[in-house]
Amino acid sequence: MDKLLLLEDDLSLVTGLSFAFQKAGFAADVARTMQEAEALWREGKYDLLVLDVSLPDGSGFAFCQRVRQVSKVPIIFLTASEEETSMIMGLEIGGDDYITKPFKLGVLISRIRALLRRAKDFDAGGTELQSNGIKVLLLQGQAYKGGEPLDLTAGEYKLLCLLMQNPNVVLSKEQILDKLWDCEGNYLDSSTLTVYIRRLRLKVEDNPSQPRLIVTVRRMGYKWNVTGA
């Protein structure tokens, strides 16, 4: 049974979500403050986190940043904000999905299942990827360049894995978004993917302004260009 951590201060929403999680076959612990969430995180092992952004003693963004220092567990943000800058910020600091209130419980459950499935798919796809001087140890969830660890967000890590698992294959933006995230609605679009590509290039390319590894194929998409290095 997959185990979730829900960080949400709205008691009525907690009640509804707890029931929905139980009905969907998930086990869930609930925290209503950052302090409670940190205590639960230290003591338990979770397969996915659902984090409210606005909390009485902090923010889901801050908790996400702390988690990302030690884990690549899938993270979904819940928030009332529909501003694009806020969505992009949540994804850039390591979030995997973003859903705005009010939302349908069925949609949230579907996205949770999709993220859990994708996380398991990444873990089952072998134990190591290596090309162009980049190595990914899938069991450890860690990537290296020239033997030095890369500081990647969860989204950047998954994007790198997807590209490296498809060497010299052009992947359209739609294929990438569909593979890494559930693109129902407009919560994630091609402009956000462009941000991920740019940030990943800064970390893996020798010269990000003239990328050789993550190549843009005009009007088609992106590919991991295996150079033999």
Side-chain angles (χ1 to χ4, degrees):
M1 179 182 292
D2 292 309
K3 189 174 182 181
L4 314 181
L5 173 59
L6 171 63
L7 174 54
E8 170 61 61
D9 66 327
D10 185 329
L11 184 57
S12 61
L13 187 55
V14 166
T15 301
L17 288 174
S18 297
F19 177 77
F21 292 161
Q22 182 179 12
K23 186 176 179 181
F26 301 130
D29 288 338
V30 176
R32 298 186 62 194
T33 65
M34 285 272 289
Q35 185 175 6
E36 291 177 3
E38 289 170 355
L40 287 170
W41 173 252
R42 286 194 299 269
E43 297 172 0
K45 178 177 175 58
Y46 297 96
D47 299 292
L48 183 142
L49 311 184
V50 181
L51 309 179
D52 187 20
V53 171
S54 299
L55 300 164
D57 60 341
S59 76
F61 287 164
F63 185 65
C64 172
Q65 289 176 309
R66 297 180 189 181
V67 169
R68 282 292 174 253
Q69 294 175 6
V70 295
S71 173
K72 296 186 184 298
V73 61
I75 294 176
I76 296 180
F77 288 115
L78 305 178
T79 181
S81 174
E82 295 184 356
E83 294 183 3
E84 182 179 359
T85 54
S86 181
M87 294 182 184
I88 291 175
M89 176 182 174
L91 295 171
E92 284 199 341
I93 64 173
D96 298 279
D97 198 353
Y98 194 109
I99 189 167
T100 56
K101 303 174 184 177
F103 54 84
K104 294 182 179 179
L105 289 175
V107 173
L108 176 60
I109 295 299
S110 293
R111 292 186 178 179
I112 288 173
R113 284 177 172 154
L115 282 175
L116 289 170
R117 184 173 63 251
R118 282 162 172 73
K120 291 170 184 176
D121 286 346
F122 274 109
D123 289 341
T127 61
E128 182 177 306
L129 301 170
Q130 186 167 352
S131 63
N132 296 333
I134 306 296
K135 178 188 290 187
V136 178
L137 301 180
L138 296 170
L139 295 180
Q140 291 86 354
Q142 182 62 62
Y144 298 84
K145 177 182 179 181
E148 295 296 322
L150 291 169
D151 183 17
L152 303 177
T153 67
E156 292 164 357
Y157 171 79
K158 289 193 291 185
L159 176 58
L160 176 62
C161 289
L162 176 61
L163 292 170
M164 292 184 68
Q165 286 168 336
N166 295 275
N168 292 327
V169 175
V170 179
L171 300 175
S172 70
K173 292 181 179 181
E174 291 76 17
Q175 286 176 311
I176 296 173
L177 293 173
D178 182 65
K179 182 64 177 177
L180 298 186
W181 302 275
D182 276 343
C183 296
E184 301 173 11
N186 298 315
Y187 73 97
L188 188 64
D189 56 22
S190 60
S191 63
T192 307
L193 176 57
T194 301
V195 173
Y196 273 93
I197 292 289
R198 175 178 56 80
R199 290 173 60 89
L200 185 56
R201 279 173 171 161
L202 288 172
K203 297 177 181 181
V204 303
E205 298 279 1
D206 292 331
N207 184 358
S209 62
Q210 296 182 340
R212 295 175 56 250
L213 309 184
I214 304 174
V215 178
T216 300
V217 181
R218 188 174 176 84
R219 296 192 180 91
M220 294 181 65
Y222 302 98
K223 74 173 181 177
W224 181 255
N225 185 40
V226 177
T227 64

